[in-house]
Amino acid sequence: MVERQVKVNSKTVVKKSTVLARTPMKLIELNKGLNLRQQRFFNMAIFAVDENGISEFGKEEYNAIFKDDSDKFYSVDVRGDVQALGSLGMQANTEREVIWRSVFIEVRYTRDTGTYKFIWSPLMKDHVKKVKQSYIQQDLQVLALFKNKYSFIWYDFFKSNYHQWKWKISKDEVINLLRLENKKSYLEKHAMLYKQCIETPLKELNDFTEYHITCEVIKAGRTVVGYEFKRYQEKGIEYTVTQKQVDVLQEIVDRYGDMEMIVREISKLSVTDADAMPYLTNLLFEIKNYKRYMQNTDSFTSESFKEVVALAIQKDNAFKAKIRELYKKKSDIPTIDDFLPEEPAKKKVPFYNWLEERE
């Protein structure tokens, strides 16, 4: 086995992963479909972002990290690289809308100056600066060692799911994760898929990162249907999630069961705050997503599931606090009656009951 040249402190990784897990944009979603060279440029763009949301770097900065030869910085594929990076984005699906958010306003390579320039979209600017601070500056030393493009994706997958120690993933889910739908050779030859897309990337992760991941093939008869990945855990860890933890998370998830009713109520209240709708909708779907944790509690340690529940409680409290704020704003909104002069009290006229009249 290759000597592990780089090791990252596990506590630091968990801290970084926690920050990423709380943000709407995860690198794993963006690395899909990029080749190794494009993934390196994308990570370099994160590393180089400035306060104005612009990243600019030349071959010296790039080669200092990724150790590529100078003549590889610019290649005949540069047009394809710029197009692939410029089309990066995230799709946000709700029950009422499908939204595409572009990562960059512009990606440009200028051969005269030998520089790449990335202008991040306003929606991404604050997020990417947070990612740079919490993630990329320490992880570039690891990413620079990867030679297999799928190593990037697996590394971000395990990091973004850092709460778990075990994952059962179907073959179809792996194909979707790695964007292999059009790779005929991998689809027809499982040995090639396993070697190039699972075994080799995991070896790089085990050699160069803090992770030690094993993989077992799951079969139905002679057909490969999925994989079980396990992360090495230190002795003394409690693997059993408590019933109290499950009950608390279940209570939170059930509270947000009627999504349509909640969204309608948010729509009525959000007239007092233009930013409330996207904020609450995002929180709502994040809370709803905790339902998936209930389906595989055996994949978590007691300690990691405790953190999952804590995050769910935090989002639940944030949602309720914002709703209370909106109700208060709505009750404080003046109406026309508040500005009209008070009318003088009308003289009270005795009630005349004509039914009692006989003559």
Side-chain angles (χ1 to χ4, degrees):
M1 178 179 285
V2 178
E3 183 181 353
R4 299 190 182 200
Q5 302 174 34
V6 174
K7 284 292 175 183
V8 182
N9 182 277
S10 297
K11 291 183 180 179
T12 304
V13 169
V14 169
K15 182 179 179 182
K16 290 185 293 181
S17 302
T18 304
V19 173
L20 287 177
R22 294 175 182 173
T23 53
M25 186 77 70
K26 294 186 175 64
L27 292 180
I28 183 175
E29 296 297 330
L30 298 172
N31 279 335
K32 287 181 180 181
L34 298 182
N35 62 33
L36 181 62
R37 172 186 164 86
Q38 291 160 0
Q39 288 175 346
R40 288 178 169 182
F41 279 129
F42 177 63
N43 283 282
M44 190 70 194
I46 299 173
F47 177 68
V49 68
D50 63 18
E51 287 301 313
N52 298 316
I54 297 175
S55 305
E56 193 165 5
F57 56 87
K59 63 183 179 182
E60 290 185 3
E61 297 98 322
Y62 177 81
N63 292 338
I65 293 174
F66 291 105
K67 308 295 190 296
D68 277 351
D69 296 333
S70 297
D71 60 346
K72 291 184 179 179
F73 184 74
Y74 175 85
S75 74
V76 292
D77 298 324
V78 69
R79 293 182 185 277
D81 294 337
V82 169
Q83 183 177 351
L85 292 163
S87 62
L88 285 178
M90 278 289 288
Q91 185 168 284
N93 295 323
T94 68
E95 294 183 2
R96 296 185 175 187
E97 293 180 311
V98 178
I99 305 168
W100 179 262
R101 295 171 180 160
S102 296
V103 174
F104 301 111
I105 295 176
E106 181 181 294
V107 177
R108 177 190 302 180
Y109 176 80
T110 306
R111 193 166 189 176
D112 291 343
T113 58
T115 57
Y116 275 90
K117 184 175 182 178
F118 297 78
I119 303 176
W120 296 83
S121 76
L123 291 171
M124 284 294 300
K125 193 161 49 174
D126 290 338
H127 173 76
V128 77
K129 285 189 285 187
K130 183 185 295 184
V131 172
K132 173 185 176 179
Q133 179 183 2
S134 306
Y135 169 76
I136 202 68
Q137 293 193 71
Q138 297 180 58
D139 276 8
L140 265 184
Q141 58 179 326
V142 174
L143 302 176
L145 298 170
F146 291 162
K147 305 300 180 186
N148 183 296
K149 73 174 186 177
Y150 301 113
S151 299
F152 283 78
I153 300 174
W154 283 120
Y155 185 52
D156 281 327
F157 173 82
F158 293 123
K159 189 197 310 293
S160 61
N161 293 280
Y162 74 97
H163 289 109
Q164 295 179 238
W165 70 276
K166 181 174 68 175
W167 303 263
K168 285 186 178 179
I169 309 175
S170 71
K171 183 180 178 182
D172 288 341
E173 287 172 331
V174 169
I175 288 171
N176 179 63
L177 174 69
L178 303 180
R179 291 281 174 90
L180 302 175
E181 296 90 342
N182 299 318
K183 303 288 186 180
K184 189 175 180 181
S185 57
Y186 289 147
L187 298 180
E188 294 178 350
K189 299 178 181 179
H190 177 262
M192 184 181 294
L193 181 151
Y194 186 80
K195 176 71 175 176
Q196 296 297 323
C197 305
I198 298 176
E199 186 178 63
T200 299
L202 289 189
K203 185 177 185 303
E204 289 196 334
L205 263 64
N206 292 339
D207 286 345
F208 302 128
T209 78
E210 77 286 358
Y211 292 120
H212 182 78
I213 307 289
T214 61
C215 177
E216 293 183 14
V217 176
I218 302 173
K219 292 185 177 182
R222 299 179 62 182
T223 304
V224 174
V225 294
Y227 311 90
E228 182 174 84
F229 298 88
K230 290 182 180 179
R231 178 166 57 189
Y232 170 78
Q233 296 286 342
E234 297 176 3
K235 293 180 180 180
I237 290 178
E238 178 57 54
Y239 285 84
T240 306
V241 173
T242 68
Q243 188 60 46
K244 183 177 180 181
Q245 291 173 326
V246 174
D247 291 344
V248 171
L249 189 59
Q250 186 69 61
E251 181 184 342
I252 292 173
V253 171
D254 289 345
R255 190 178 299 153
Y256 297 86
D258 192 343
M259 295 280 287
E260 288 188 9
M261 183 275 291
I262 297 173
V263 170
R264 284 198 301 271
E265 189 66 18
I266 294 173
S267 299
K268 294 176 186 176
L269 294 172
S270 61
V271 294
T272 62
D273 186 339
D275 298 325
M277 189 68 181
Y279 172 75
L280 287 171
T281 303
N282 186 56
L283 269 179
L284 185 61
F285 280 90
E286 284 183 5
I287 294 170
K288 182 183 178 183
N289 195 43
Y290 280 97
K291 187 175 182 179
R292 68 185 177 92
Y293 292 107
M294 310 296 297
Q295 299 166 352
N296 59 340
T297 56
D298 63 331
S299 295
F300 298 85
T301 65
S302 179
E303 190 64 28
S304 65
F305 202 78
K306 180 181 178 181
E307 190 170 346
V308 169
V309 175
L311 286 172
I313 292 173
Q314 181 182 335
K315 289 184 173 70
D316 178 45
N317 289 336
F319 189 91
K320 290 186 292 188
K322 189 65 177 179
I323 289 292
R324 284 195 295 268
E325 178 190 321
L326 292 178
Y327 270 117
K328 186 177 185 307
K329 281 184 178 180
K330 188 174 181 181
S331 65
D332 291 341
I333 293 177
T335 66
I336 190 171
D337 293 334
D338 297 320
F339 297 92
L340 292 176
E342 292 187 11
E343 295 183 4
K346 294 181 179 179
K347 185 178 180 181
K348 195 170 183 179
V349 178
F351 175 70
Y352 175 72
N353 189 346
W354 59 272
L355 289 174
E356 293 181 356
E357 186 175 340
R358 294 290 183 268
E359 297 180 2

